[in-house]
């Protein structure tokens, strides 16, 4: 309901990855990790994302694919591909800051956004 209240075509929460280095899943337009704050993102993990059906109607298929960047010489996942296609077709991807601080990635350990900031402080965020 919180995401619905945002009234945006694409809105999501930023959350921590479950592996070291613990990084946020949201990256800015310049591909820098979004350790804090909300607003427009370049790419985001889609684990907590609300997308209007109008977005899927406006974007040609495939909506999700494994992509390859010649510039970065690396592959990207389906989440990144979708966000790039959405942005390309005029649908910005918005990160909700308040919700991001409430979401955690659970497993054998509960990974939270606070852990991503520790990674940044230790200078480990350059590995991605």
């Amino acid at each position: 309901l919180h995401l619905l209240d945002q009234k945006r075509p694409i809105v999501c929460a930023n959350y921590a990855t479950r592996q070291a280095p613990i990084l946020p899943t949201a990256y800015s337009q310049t591909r820098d990790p979004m350790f804090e704050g909300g607003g427009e993102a370049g790419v985001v993990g889609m684990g907590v994302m609300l997308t209007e059906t109008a977005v899927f109607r406006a974007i040609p298929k495939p909506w999700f694919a494994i992509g390859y960047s010649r510039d970065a010489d690396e592959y990207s996942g389906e989440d990144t591909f979708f966000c790039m296609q959405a942005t390309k077709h005029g649908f910005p991807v918005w990160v909700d800051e308040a919700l991001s601080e409430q979401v955690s990635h659970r497993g054998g350990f509960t990974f939270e956004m606070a852990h991503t900031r520790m990674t940044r402080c230790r200078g480990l965020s350059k590995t991605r």
Side-chain angles (χ1 to χ4, degrees):
L1 293 175
H2 179 82
L3 292 177
L4 280 173
D5 287 343
Q6 304 303 308
K7 300 195 183 327
R8 296 187 182 274
I10 303 174
V11 62
C12 60
N14 188 6
Y15 53 93
T17 59
R18 292 186 297 173
Q19 59 199 21
I22 304 167
L23 297 169
T25 59
Y27 285 76
S28 70
Q29 296 287 343
T30 58
R31 301 295 188 255
D32 294 317
M34 292 177 67
F35 288 98
E36 297 180 82
E40 192 170 343
V43 296
V44 180
M46 295 178 67
V48 182
M49 179 182 281
L50 180 68
T51 308
E52 291 181 353
T53 55
V55 174
F56 293 102
R57 290 185 186 120
I59 298 173
K61 291 181 180 179
W63 299 314
F64 305 100
I66 301 295
Y68 177 74
S69 169
R70 291 186 193 280
D71 296 336
D73 191 29
E74 66 183 16
Y75 289 93
S76 62
E78 301 92 344
D79 301 0
T80 298
F81 183 85
F82 174 79
C83 291
M84 292 173 66
Q85 291 300 318
T87 302
K88 178 180 169 183
H89 288 87
F91 296 98
V93 178
W94 287 92
V95 173
D96 182 280
E97 179 178 13
L99 187 60
S100 297
E101 292 299 327
Q102 297 175 24
V103 173
S104 58
H105 215 153
R106 295 185 185 233
F109 179 82
T110 300
F111 298 88
E112 298 175 348
M113 287 303 294
H115 297 113
T116 71
R117 290 187 280 281
M118 287 184 234
T119 298
R120 178 182 60 183
C121 290
R122 292 183 179 135
L124 300 173
S125 63
K126 304 286 189 251
T127 61
R128 205 166 207 204

